[in-house]
Amino acid sequence: MKVLGKNGLSVWMEKCCSLLFLLGIAVIAALPWLLKAYYNLKNEDYARPIILSMLVVLYISGAISLAILVQLRQILRDVNRGAPFTMENARRIKAVAWLCLPVSLLYFIGIFTMPSALVLLVALVFLFLAALTFVLAEVFRQAVLYKEENDLTI
Amino acid sequence: MPIVVNLDVMMARRKISATELSEQVGITMANLSILKNNKARAVRFSTLEALCRVLNCQPADILAYEPEPADAEKKK
């Protein structure tokens, strides 16, 4: 599988991020109607008490996800431009790690209003991702230092 | 850094242009100017070898150690 270069995976992922960004905005904008339509398919009576907290959680985590997508798209753009190892990208990866934390916290709080194993799962996954991304951000920062050193070795 | 690259002197003595030197040594013009302007942090032995071969000189003809005064450290 071709990852970098023309028609590589990273080029498609950059397009994918742009598409998801637009899709995300559309979903957030249509969220109240989407949720109602979804629960009309299911049993509406059980859904009514949690629909407000679902809206709040989805609005906030949706907005944060859009911010994460912006960072990822900019990283991918640098990758496709052939210059991924910059301090700016190390900072972006760290920003993604920080952005994962409030999402995790939000879903942990959400367990109280929407008691579901899936809500807990999302909270745990984002906490895991945040921790892992912090490590990757630091590794990436060191890679940037190596890269700078290497660039100045003639 | 107290290690100074005196490439200009040797190039003038051998009457070789930067373009010519970079071609014969096999490094880019950009890298050669980094080297000439003392911006480089390290020199590969292979590069040094090629430079010495092309310029027909010793490493000491290109590199020099100039101890810097103690207060020069603060300027960096």
Side-chain angles (χ1 to χ4, degrees):
Chain A
M1 185 178 60
K2 201 178 168 203
V3 178
L4 298 176
K6 206 170 171 235
N7 276 326
L9 183 63
S10 74
V11 173
W12 287 103
M13 286 309 290
E14 189 187 334
K15 287 175 185 163
C16 192
C17 279
S18 302
L19 188 71
L20 280 175
F21 184 81
L22 294 176
L23 209 66
I25 290 176
V27 168
I28 287 178
L31 200 56
W33 297 279
L34 277 178
L35 267 187
K36 265 183 202 136
Y38 178 69
Y39 280 116
N40 275 338
L41 291 176
K42 299 171 80 178
N43 183 356
E44 209 189 340
D45 292 335
Y46 113 88
R48 195 163 285 141
I50 65 162
I51 211 157
L52 183 69
S53 52
M54 285 228 21
L55 267 179
V56 171
V57 165
L58 287 176
Y59 267 131
I60 299 174
S61 60
I64 295 171
S65 302
L66 288 182
I68 292 177
L69 272 176
V70 169
Q71 304 292 327
L72 292 179
R73 193 179 56 179
Q74 279 167 336
I75 293 170
L76 284 167
R77 189 184 297 159
D78 276 5
V79 170
N80 293 331
R81 221 187 271 154
F85 291 108
T86 59
M87 271 302 164
E88 185 61 18
N89 274 343
R91 191 198 58 76
R92 282 177 189 142
I93 295 175
K94 204 168 189 178
V96 170
W98 277 111
L99 285 168
C100 283
L101 281 180
V103 176
S104 173
L105 184 71
L106 195 66
Y107 278 82
F108 271 123
I109 296 169
I111 294 168
F112 295 104
T113 52
M114 306 171 284
S116 160
L118 291 176
V119 176
L120 179 65
L121 190 68
V122 173
L124 288 174
V125 164
F126 268 89
L127 190 62
F128 182 81
L129 278 180
L132 198 66
T133 312
F134 272 121
V135 175
L136 285 180
E138 178 56 25
V139 171
F140 197 90
R141 198 186 65 81
Q142 290 189 15
V144 173
L145 293 179
Y146 282 129
K147 161 83 175 153
E148 282 173 357
E149 187 77 20
N150 192 52
D151 279 351
L152 290 175
T153 299
I154 311 299
Chain B
M1 265 205 294
I3 297 289
V4 180
V5 182
N6 288 322
L7 213 47
D8 289 324
V9 181
M10 209 59 213
M11 280 167 67
R13 222 181 277 170
R14 296 286 183 256
K15 296 191 175 59
I16 187 169
S17 72
T19 323
E20 237 177 306
L21 184 64
S22 74
E23 271 169 18
Q24 289 187 35
V25 171
I27 58 176
T28 62
M29 279 293 284
N31 277 346
L32 183 62
S33 74
I34 289 175
L35 204 53
K36 264 172 51 179
N37 298 328
N38 280 303
K39 296 269 168 57
R41 274 195 218 151
V43 183
R44 286 194 188 87
F45 278 156
S46 58
T47 312
L48 190 58
E49 184 190 318
L51 281 170
C52 288
R53 175 170 43 77
V54 173
L55 293 172
N56 190 24
C57 65
Q58 291 298 313
D61 297 327
I62 309 171
L63 301 174
Y65 171 64
E66 288 174 10
E68 52 190 313
D71 61 341
E73 193 70 28
K74 289 171 198 159
K75 282 184 202 160
K76 278 201 278 187

